Amino acid sequence: MSAESWPPKLKEWVAKCLGQMTDANREEAQTELKQVIAESYANKTLWTTDWDGVQLKSLMPKPPPVFSTQSHLKRKLNEHQSSSNKKTKKGSVSKAAAANALDPNDAAALNRRAARFQREHEIERQKSSRPFNNHTSPYSSPYANPQLYKSRSGTPATYDADNPDADPNVPNWDRFTIVGTSQEIFKDYLRLTSEPKPEQIRPYHVLQETLNQLKKRWREKATYNWICSQFKSLRQDLTVQRIKNEFTVTVYEIHARMALEVGDMVEYNQCQAMLRNLYELGIPGKVEEFTAYRILMLLHGRNRSDLNLYVGQLTEKQKADPAVRHALAVQRAIAMGNYHALFDLYMNAPNMGAYIMDHFIDRERIRALMVMTKAYRTLPLTFIQNELAFDTPAAAREFLVEHRAGFFTNPNAPDADAVLDCKPAGPQLATAYEEKYRRVQIKGAV
């Protein structure tokens, strides 16, 4: 029998059936389909059968099996017993416990389940009643409410002021908090590779004496490498004991200033990052001073997006501080290309702002010289010295020569009388800027 001789209705019906088949019923449906067509062909009813009304039994939806709860549980138990021979003893016990928990006639299992739900409900009720959910900022100070903290395990608890072991300098104190017993004043920094031991950690009162001694040694011109190692060890002992108070802030602020003084930007950036966290906890310190440093560091890194975001979050109190006003003036001078104002701000930077500006002042000198060499044919070296804040005319000449722009109309004249030839110097300055200052690399940036 050729399919070409089939009536159109039969062809449409066959296509419809084939479209309804799935992998699960395909074999059975195809067998039934062939049987129906063969019977109709044998009875010579291919053209007279109403194929739209014919439905294959194998393609009809099957009702879900109906069985009682008791039989369902028995079947589950039988399946468990048959599979337990292939499992370990531990798996068999857990599956048996699960099967028993499903048994509606097991009163003990129902009671355990009800008790579990009651415990979960009680936990949720306690969470909803915590003060942390009362629109409290994530950076709220623990000192504003010293009765609350979280233990190391993450569970909420209350600070017990009557507990003689509790340390008021540790806002999240719990019984797992390490309290050092070492009495050594000085200790070299070593990275922890195992659980810290109390006998190797200095307690709070010893750390206070350590800081006093380190400040004294620094005034006595001790080497920075030794001082830095001692400060890192001091910071480590504070971190291990989870001490976060004004003393902690003082330690990080002093170490940050020392790092700025010697140009150690790795340690400075680590201290700056930690100070931001401590300030956000509400612990008092030199917030405005280090806010100004933060702005200058963002100017050094030319990170405009972070700078705009950070400046936009400043409070009116911070903007009124002289150091912050100075940093914002530096930002404005750089943005406007006002190099005269920029170098005047550089010479009058408050606190230790000039130490940070030292890291990007050469870049701004090159930018200023690129503008000046386009505007002038010649420039006296003394004018460049005064305008770009060089200490001496010799320092200005050395800077130009270092950047391959040392072209002078009178090269043999003394520095006080030397005159820069701007036309050949301009392209060299632009090349030096692209090669040396276009990309900024900040060590230890956080």
Side-chain angles (χ1 to χ4, degrees):
M1 175 181 60
S2 174
E4 296 178 356
S5 60
W6 291 357
K9 289 289 185 179
L10 174 58
K11 294 180 181 180
E12 294 176 1
W13 177 75
V14 171
K16 178 183 175 182
C17 292
L18 293 174
Q20 294 177 349
M21 295 180 187
T22 64
D23 293 339
N25 61 13
R26 187 178 308 279
E27 185 176 355
E28 181 183 0
Q30 287 180 349
T31 302
E32 185 181 0
L33 177 66
K34 294 177 182 178
Q35 182 179 356
V36 171
I37 295 176
E39 290 178 354
S40 179
Y41 177 77
N43 297 329
K44 298 182 179 180
T45 58
L46 289 177
W47 291 86
T48 58
T49 301
D50 182 13
W51 294 106
D52 292 336
V54 177
Q55 179 66 44
L56 297 179
K57 294 181 180 180
S58 56
L59 295 179
M60 295 178 66
K62 298 180 181 179
V66 179
F67 41 81
S68 64
T69 305
Q70 192 67 23
S71 63
H72 173 65
L73 292 174
K74 288 182 179 180
R75 184 173 62 84
K76 286 289 186 182
L77 289 173
N78 291 335
E79 291 178 358
H80 165 69
Q81 292 173 358
S82 62
S83 62
S84 62
N85 295 330
K86 302 178 182 179
K87 304 292 183 180
T88 62
K89 182 178 180 180
K90 182 178 179 180
S92 301
V93 173
S94 62
K95 282 181 174 283
N100 292 334
L102 293 173
D103 191 351
N105 297 324
D106 190 347
L110 293 176
N111 291 335
R112 288 195 301 271
R113 187 179 185 189
R116 187 176 72 252
F117 285 142
Q118 181 64 26
R119 288 196 304 271
E120 293 175 354
H121 175 72
E122 182 66 20
I123 292 173
E124 291 298 326
R125 187 185 66 78
Q126 291 177 0
K127 286 182 179 180
S128 62
S129 63
R130 288 182 196 169
F132 289 110
N133 292 335
N134 189 19
H135 304 289
T136 305
S137 169
Y139 300 124
S140 296
S141 169
Y143 301 92
N145 191 354
Q147 303 300 319
L148 297 172
Y149 72 94
K150 282 190 175 182
S151 68
R152 180 173 292 183
S153 60
T155 58
T158 57
Y159 173 77
D160 187 2
D162 297 330
N163 190 335
D165 295 330
D167 187 352
N169 297 302
V170 182
N172 56 346
W173 185 94
D174 59 20
R175 62 189 182 89
F176 299 106
T177 301
I178 296 176
V179 179
T181 59
S182 174
Q183 299 299 311
E184 295 183 15
I185 299 298
F186 300 119
K187 185 181 71 171
D188 289 335
Y189 170 75
L190 292 174
R191 187 182 298 274
L192 289 176
T193 57
S194 61
E195 188 75 15
K197 299 178 181 179
E199 59 270 18
Q200 297 175 349
I201 306 299
R202 292 164 293 185
Y204 181 62
H205 69 278
V206 176
L207 294 177
Q208 290 178 308
E209 179 61 25
T210 299
L211 178 61
N212 293 331
Q213 292 296 326
L214 288 177
K215 291 191 293 184
K216 181 181 178 181
R217 295 293 183 90
W218 181 250
R219 289 192 294 268
E220 294 173 354
K221 306 299 181 182
T223 62
Y224 174 73
N225 288 337
W226 182 83
I227 288 286
C228 181
S229 175
Q230 294 298 318
F231 262 97
K232 291 176 70 174
S233 176
L234 173 56
R235 287 159 41 190
Q236 185 183 69
D237 286 355
L238 289 170
T239 302
V240 167
Q241 298 176 93
R242 298 192 292 187
I243 299 175
K244 293 182 179 180
N245 57 11
E246 292 184 47
F247 174 74
T248 308
V249 171
T250 302
V251 169
Y252 278 92
E253 288 176 344
I254 293 176
H255 193 187
R257 295 189 188 101
M258 290 180 178
L260 279 180
E261 188 171 344
V262 300
D264 185 358
M265 302 311 292
V266 174
E267 290 302 325
Y268 169 77
N269 281 304
Q270 291 180 5
C271 293
Q272 174 78 292
M274 187 61 185
L275 284 171
R276 288 183 64 191
N277 295 333
L278 295 172
Y279 293 152
E280 287 173 351
L281 291 175
I283 307 176
K286 304 295 183 181
V287 180
E288 287 75 20
E289 176 188 349
F290 281 86
T291 297
Y293 296 160
R294 174 70 175 167
I295 295 172
L296 293 176
M297 280 299 299
L298 291 172
L299 288 171
H300 171 35
R302 306 178 72 178
N303 195 335
R304 294 185 179 87
S305 58
D306 285 356
L307 176 62
N308 293 334
L309 179 63
Y310 187 69
V311 170
Q313 295 174 345
L314 296 178
T315 64
E316 293 300 324
K317 178 184 176 182
Q318 291 173 327
K319 292 179 181 179
D321 183 81
V324 177
R325 286 206 312 268
H326 172 271
L328 293 176
V330 172
Q331 177 197 14
R332 185 164 53 253
I334 292 177
M336 298 177 62
N338 188 350
Y339 57 83
H340 180 83
L342 173 63
F343 289 98
D344 184 60
L345 291 166
Y346 171 62
M347 296 300 295
N348 298 281
N351 299 322
M352 303 187 72
Y355 286 98
I356 298 179
M357 295 184 70
D358 283 340
H359 292 276
F360 63 85
I361 203 66
D362 283 350
R363 179 186 70 204
E364 298 306 321
R365 280 172 173 156
I366 290 292
R367 291 183 62 195
L369 283 168
M370 289 168 61
V371 175
M372 294 164 67
T373 52
K374 289 180 181 178
Y376 299 92
R377 289 186 177 179
T378 59
L379 283 171
L381 192 59
T382 53
F383 175 80
I384 296 175
Q385 171 207 348
N386 295 327
E387 195 67 19
L388 303 186
F390 287 105
D391 293 334
T392 61
R397 177 192 283 269
E398 183 180 352
F399 180 83
L400 291 169
V401 172
E402 179 186 352
H403 293 86
R404 303 189 298 274
F407 298 95
F408 298 94
T409 58
N410 51 348
N412 297 324
D415 293 336
D417 301 328
V419 177
L420 178 68
D421 189 353
C422 295
K423 186 174 182 179
Q428 294 298 324
L429 291 168
T431 302
Y433 179 79
E434 292 294 331
E435 293 177 354
K436 192 172 181 180
Y437 300 109
R438 174 65 70 179
R439 300 182 64 181
V440 182
Q441 293 184 353
I442 303 179
K443 296 181 179 180
V446 178

